[in-house]
Amino acid sequence: MKKKVTKAIFPVAGLGTRFLPATKSVPKEIMTLVDRPLIQYAIDEARAAGITDFIFVTSKGKSALEDYFDRSPELESTLRKSGKDKLLETLKQTYMESGAIAYIRQHKALGLGHAVWCARRLVGDEPFAVILPDDVIAADKPCLQQMVEGYAETGGCMVAAMEVPYEKASSYGVLDIKDDMGTIVSTKGMVEKPKAEDAPSNLAVIGRYILTPSVMKNLGKIDRGAGGELQLTDAIAMELQENREVYGYRFRGQRYDCGSKAGFLQATVAYGLARDDLRDEFSQFLDEMMALQKAAQ
Ligand code: G1P
């Protein structure tokens, strides 16, 4: 029987320079879509997929992220006294069971592969998930849950996958497809950030992974790859060289690249419009804005 995936790694050590000056004092993962920080979306998705152990790979300046998951007795009692039960419920979503969350420091910015490797002692000899909170995925069934169900059939390693335009391939890990079965594809290779002309396909890796313990071992063996960094993609590709399976999973859902300003704005609009309490006012405003834009052209 395949072992259940109960541990997830959240690499959150990045400096978030693309969002300076905001990220000078606020970790990128605390930036909000409507009223919830990016990290809350990632945690909710992990919980829905059955994750019970949450491992954060952090760095200097990320204490706001650690505080976010603490209890806040004062806020709680104020809300309780003033009968704000709904807000109290919202607050409780941020609480984690004691011992469910662990923080590991990445002391050097050596890349995503290195960040994941920093969590090796906490993961041990088990399959584990990796969630990149920058990739926000709106879906009826959360993306990692879809993948956990797929993984129950396939085993091996599994990465979330999505078609992108070839000219964008150089921003992603890209899959070399062996057998395309629709939702699930088997692979024969994986390349990190190839040039468009070298990309083996336009099926890109999105930031959700289910990985075997041997990938963790591979991370200790790989050399620096694309961008001079230790790449998670290279450690996963090593599985293929050793004849173990790596699958891509074409998830159902809309992915927003919240690591970019344009993607963050798109996600803000989409999540704003998805909210019953905001939709009418917000869509009216957007209509007016569009009309003004058109009139100005
Ligand atoms: C990382 C991974 C890449 C993946 C991407 C998805 O790149 O290295 O393989 O396609 O996330 O968002 P980054 O965006 O951190 O450069």
Side-chain angles (χ1 to χ4, degrees):
M1 219 180 91
K2 277 158 221 102
K3 211 157 176 207
K4 230 177 140 228
V5 185
T6 59
K7 295 181 177 174
I9 300 175
F10 300 81
V12 290
L15 291 175
T17 48
R18 276 195 272 179
F19 284 94
L20 279 171
T23 45
K24 187 170 166 233
S25 64
V26 180
K28 178 174 66 168
E29 299 78 14
I30 290 291
M31 290 181 19
T32 53
L33 277 181
V34 188
D35 51 12
R36 291 167 359 126
L38 286 186
I39 196 65
Q40 183 75 49
Y41 292 87
I43 289 287
D44 289 350
E45 187 178 329
R47 278 185 176 141
I51 299 297
T52 53
D53 293 24
F54 304 82
I55 304 165
F56 284 72
V57 183
T58 70
S59 61
K60 215 170 155 207
K62 296 277 180 166
S63 52
L65 199 55
E66 302 194 15
D67 294 345
Y68 178 77
F69 293 107
D70 272 351
R71 296 249 157 175
S72 39
E74 286 157 25
L75 193 53
E76 222 177 285
S77 80
T78 310
L79 292 175
R80 191 166 294 121
K81 273 186 212 143
S82 49
K84 296 193 166 145
D85 296 344
K86 232 175 151 194
L87 279 179
L88 203 57
E89 274 316 301
T90 307
L91 187 68
K92 284 185 178 161
Q93 287 168 16
T94 67
Y95 292 170
M96 302 295 257
E97 198 197 328
S98 294
I101 191 161
Y103 301 94
I104 288 277
R105 283 275 178 122
Q106 185 187 20
H107 294 288
K108 288 184 199 163
L110 295 177
L112 177 60
H114 179 256
V116 170
W117 184 73
C118 287
R120 67 198 177 282
R121 290 196 179 86
L122 290 178
V123 167
D125 195 25
E126 283 183 39
F128 60 98
V130 177
I131 296 189
L132 309 187
D134 272 3
D135 280 332
V136 174
I137 301 174
D140 289 338
K141 182 184 283 185
C143 178
L144 190 64
Q145 191 183 347
Q146 295 176 37
M147 289 171 67
V148 163
E149 290 172 11
Y151 166 81
E153 309 283 319
T154 61
C157 286
M158 184 173 273
V159 301
M162 179 183 102
E163 260 84 20
V164 299
Y166 268 95
E167 63 272 18
K168 296 262 171 74
S170 62
S171 302
Y172 297 93
V174 178
L175 299 178
D176 193 353
I177 298 169
K178 181 165 79 181
D179 194 5
D180 195 334
M181 298 163 279
T183 300
I184 295 178
V185 303
S186 66
T187 66
K188 53 180 154 67
M190 250 175 113
V191 200
E192 181 67 13
K193 305 207 166 74
K195 288 192 195 130
E197 58 272 29
D198 300 331
S201 76
N202 67 337
L203 195 57
V205 177
I206 300 303
R208 303 289 183 276
Y209 308 76
I210 298 175
L211 301 174
T212 54
S214 55
V215 172
M216 203 52 110
K217 294 202 183 82
N218 298 345
L219 282 169
K221 297 182 211 155
I222 54 169
D223 295 321
R224 291 182 189 227
E229 297 189 335
L230 292 167
Q231 294 293 351
L232 183 58
T233 298
D234 294 344
I236 302 172
M238 206 179 249
E239 289 295 281
L240 293 163
Q241 287 151 26
E242 290 168 14
N243 293 319
R244 288 188 284 267
E245 298 287 350
V246 176
Y247 299 95
Y249 188 94
R250 283 196 186 92
F251 57 92
R252 292 169 301 285
Q254 178 68 44
R255 173 254 186 178
Y256 299 96
D257 174 11
C258 289
S260 79
K261 287 172 205 166
F264 206 103
L265 287 171
Q266 288 159 16
T268 300
V269 172
Y271 277 85
L273 288 174
R275 284 273 294 256
D276 291 341
D277 56 334
L278 298 171
R279 187 179 305 113
D280 291 348
E281 191 183 342
F282 190 40
S283 63
Q284 193 187 335
F285 168 77
L286 289 176
D287 287 345
E288 286 164 13
M289 285 293 281
M290 292 311 291
L292 277 175
Q293 289 266 326
K294 277 207 185 109
Q297 274 166 13

